Amino acid sequence: MGADKEWAADDEWEEDRLPGRLAEPFPLTEPLPGPIGAPIDLTRGTLMVAEEGCGTYSRLILNGPHAGEIWQIDPGWGGFVPVSPSFRSWYTDWLASP
């Protein structure tokens, strides 16, 4: 892929960099399993840490009762659900994976 091509994650990172976006309250109090459609309003108060492919992203929750957890958002199939209790756990699992 050439340097002039945009990565799919660029739009996610651009949203995360909007003024005040990371400090906004995380809007969910419980997971949303199943298809959810466009994720834009669900990602307030989160930081994208990985693109998993096919529109799926892992996001670090920055505030509220789920602060520090990693949730995975898959708007088409898997909803927005927790996948790890902490960034450290998620990251060390990722390092150990093949």
Side-chain angles (χ1 to χ4, degrees):
M1 179 176 291
D4 59 338
K5 303 278 185 180
E6 286 192 32
W7 292 90
D10 288 347
D11 290 340
E12 295 290 316
W13 284 322
E14 188 173 328
E15 286 290 324
D16 287 350
R17 288 191 302 263
L18 291 174
R21 179 87 175 165
L22 299 178
E24 291 182 28
F26 178 55
L28 298 177
T29 56
E30 58 186 60
L32 291 178
I36 56 175
I40 201 70
D41 290 333
L42 297 175
T43 60
R44 291 176 287 133
T46 71
L47 178 66
M48 196 259 296
V49 294
E51 177 188 16
E52 306 294 337
C54 297
T56 301
Y57 298 93
S58 292
R59 300 191 71 91
L60 173 64
I61 309 304
L62 299 174
N63 52 51
H66 297 287
E69 295 178 5
I70 301 290
W71 285 36
Q72 190 172 68
I73 187 165
D74 180 351
W77 301 103
F80 201 8
V81 296
V83 293
S84 184
S86 70
F87 177 81
R88 179 182 177 154
S89 174
W90 174 83
Y91 186 65
T92 55
D93 287 348
W94 175 79
L95 287 174
S97 67

